[in-house]
Amino acid sequence: MTGAERKVRELFAQAGVTVDGPNPWDIRVHDKRFYRSVLAGGTLAAGESYMDGWWDVDDMAELVNRLFRAGFNYTALVNIRTIGYFISSWLFNMQNKHRAFEVGEKHYDVGNDLYAAMLDSRMTYTCGYWKEARSLEEAQKAKLDLICKKIGLKSGDRVLDIGGGWGSFAGYAAEKYGASVVAITVSKEQAALGRERTQGLPVEIRVQDYRDVSDGPYDHIVSIGMFEHVGYRNYRTYMKKAHALLKDGGYFLLHTIGSNKSVRAGSPWLDKYIFPNGMLPSVAQIGRAAERLFVIEDWQNFGPDYDRTLMEWYRNFDRSLINVAKHYTPRFYRMWRFYLLSCAGTFRARYCQLWQIVLAKRPRPARYDAPR
């Protein structure tokens, strides 16, 4: 046994994980290069070596849950392979307007067939609300309805949806509540399919950066799963733009994954393979960005619901692979599996949170009672 293998086995043992052990969260190493690679390259190397087939595990989500609960995290092992990424994130604005469309091209444009197979019928690519739901379909409908209720949506309201996706919220708000919705996205593929899916409804879907929106004011604004792409250098700019576009007395609902601590970079593996230039905001960062602009009326955390949502997405993806496999390589399958299940593990470990925050501009004098 090499020194690298001994060290990795010792680290895993601290989390109750055994190499070639009997439990579903125990890893099976197929290539001895894995040990030296993961010590030199940290979580980036762990993900890449999984993509290359150097190791396997039956229950990836539980493996990640145990590792994170034991103190491992995405940025714990800063090394020669990742230090350049962290320095760039600290020194430069990696989410400037020039880079804003990169995540659309590399992630959201990867294939509408893949997302249609993986998601619910509305193609809602954010955390579902499982309080009373029994299926992914019910959980996503409950989430969309909860958002509409939290902003007090009514017929005739004009709403800006920053993020937009495939038009799931826009279509729901228009069809069920009679709202008029402008949805913006950085993905051409999302916009094209979203327009088809919302045809005949008072919905406009644009390919546009949030910094370029200028046709306010809107009665309400929602941002559902987009703030993770904004970057810490732009949080204040984002809030100022939302404030400028919102009517007095209007509500801005921010639905975002959150971090337990303030960071200036994301996961090196996720940045390279899934969400370029992404990072998670903290309570402190959101608070500072909203200060003197909004009153925070409500802050709800249902982070554990993302574990269940991601597991449902993975099951759909895995079941539908036979139908979409002709477009994707085995290495892509392993990459996508690692993405969905490792993220589920971080929510299970409560390393990541899911927040819905209601912010008011010059709030109404009446008390705000948040729906649940």
Side-chain angles (χ1 to χ4, degrees), residues 3 42 82 96 299:
T82 60
N96 59 33
W299 196 308

Side-chain angles (χ1 to χ4, degrees), residues 57 94 102-103 136 181 199 226 231 272 275 321 335 346 371:
V57 65
M94 305 300 289
E102 186 177 350
V103 68
L136 180 63
V181 185
Q199 191 172 8
M226 183 272 174
K272 184 175 181 178
F275 296 117
L321 184 64
M335 177 188 77
T346 65

Side-chain angles (χ1 to χ4, degrees), residues 2 4-9 11-12 17-20 27-57 63 67 81 334 338:
T2 65
E5 180 176 350
R6 185 178 297 106
K7 178 64 174 178
V8 171
R9 285 176 176 267
L11 289 172
F12 282 174
V17 176
T18 304
V19 176
D20 298 323
I27 72 167
R28 300 182 299 278
V29 175
H30 309 306
D31 192 313
K32 295 288 187 178
R33 289 177 294 175
F34 164 77
Y35 299 110
R36 186 177 295 275
S37 174
V38 77
L39 285 181
T43 52
L44 174 59
E48 289 180 335
S49 60
Y50 178 79
M51 292 163 60
D52 291 334
W54 291 7
W55 62 277
D56 274 301
V57 65
L63 167 65
L67 291 174
R81 288 200 61 196
R334 292 180 69 87
F338 187 82

Side-chain angles (χ1 to χ4, degrees), residues 236-237 239-240 243-244 248 285-296 359-363:
R236 183 67 174 176
T237 298
M239 290 292 184
K240 285 183 175 179
H243 184 268
D248 287 351
Q285 288 169 329
I286 293 173
R288 284 194 298 269
E291 189 174 338
R292 301 189 307 278
L293 295 175
F294 295 103
V295 169
I296 297 179
L359 305 104
K361 179 179 178 180
R362 293 186 183 174

Side-chain angles (χ1 to χ4, degrees), residues 108 119 124-130 136 140 143 224-226 228 255-258 275 280 301-314 339-341 343-348 350 352-355:
Y108 296 108
L119 305 176
T124 314
Y125 194 26
T126 48
C127 181
Y129 190 52
W130 290 90
L136 180 63
Q140 294 295 14
K143 186 265 301 295
I224 310 170
M226 183 272 174
E228 300 89 334
H255 173 117
T256 182
I257 300 171
F275 296 117
L280 302 184
N301 184 357
F302 50 96
D305 287 18
Y306 226 143
D307 177 11
R308 189 169 178 182
T309 301
L310 283 155
M311 295 304 296
E312 289 294 321
W313 289 347
Y314 170 70
Y339 153 52
L340 294 174
L341 295 180
C343 286
T346 65
F347 284 99
R348 192 175 303 176
R350 301 310 304 273
C352 297
Q353 313 305 322
L354 189 284
W355 297 322

Side-chain angles (χ1 to χ4, degrees), residues 9 15 20 24 32 64 92 95 104 120-121 141 164 173 200 257 263 287 325:
R9 285 176 176 267
D20 298 323
K32 295 288 187 178
V64 173
F92 304 109
Q95 298 81 18
D120 64 303
S121 64
K141 180 181 178 181
I257 300 171
V263 299

Side-chain angles (χ1 to χ4, degrees), residues 90-107:
W90 295 333
L91 293 181
F92 304 109
N93 186 353
M94 305 300 289
Q95 298 81 18
N96 59 33
K97 287 175 66 172
H98 176 71
R99 294 175 174 270
F101 294 86
E102 186 177 350
V103 68
E105 295 166 358
K106 292 189 176 180
H107 184 74

Side-chain angles (χ1 to χ4, degrees), residues 11-17 64-73 349:
L11 289 172
F12 282 174
Q14 295 173 22
V17 176
V64 173
N65 172 40
R66 287 171 176 266
L67 291 174
F68 274 61
R69 284 186 178 273
F72 295 83
N73 61 56

